[in-house]
Structures are given as structure tokens and as C-alpha cells.
Amino acid sequence: AGDCSGNAASVAVNGAGTGCTCTCSAGYYGATCANQCTVAGDCSGNAASVAVNGAGTGCTCTCSAGYYGATCANQCTVAGDCSGNAASVAVNGSVAVNGAGTGC
């Protein structure tokens, strides 16, 4: 538990026999599994889901409808993005993940 912050699915002795290698539980990352991906902390509270990125070095947010950007911090609104003159507004590109949606 101490070597992997209590957040590992498994732990094993490393190849050199000098320490431990952690395999983090879902939602955790880092050499000691000390970092956790959360919607509130990593995605501005505006994501449908969050997961550890493919490199295991950070988090990838899947933004909720109407939000975009790497941390889902940007929101499309009729008033703010269309001068109040639109019937509706949507994120351009994909609403999902890490900067794919780049504006409204």
C-alpha cells in the first residue's frame, strides 16, 4: 500500500529488484498511483467522464454537451458566442475530448 499510495490494482518487484512497480487502479496514474483523475478536479466539473490518458501521465476529459477544451472549461452560449441572435449554439467539431472541440 505504501509503495503505491493504496491505489494500485497490483504491485510487483521491479526488474532490477530495487523497488516496486505499481499497476494503478482505474482512474489513478503516476509511478506511485498518487494522482487521481476526477471530473471536478481535472475537467472543471463539466465532463460526462474522465479517464487516465493513454500515456498514463494525466487525464482526458470527455466534455458534457455545450462544453469544450482540454479541461471542459469553455461553454458555448447563445448570448456569449452568437450575440444573442441564434436559436441555438453547439460546439464545433467533437464535444468529446481534449481540445477536439475548439469553439462554438
Side-chain angles (χ1 to χ4, degrees), residues 15-35:
T18 58
C20 300
T21 299
C22 305
T23 301
C24 299
S25 298
Y28 292 89
Y29 67 97
T32 62
C33 304
N35 304 300

Side-chain angles (χ1 to χ4, degrees), residues 51-78:
V52 176
N53 67 22
T57 57
C59 306
T60 299
C61 303
T62 300
C63 300
S64 297
Y67 292 89
Y68 67 97
T71 62
C72 304
N74 304 301
Q75 182 180 20
C76 295
T77 65
V78 170

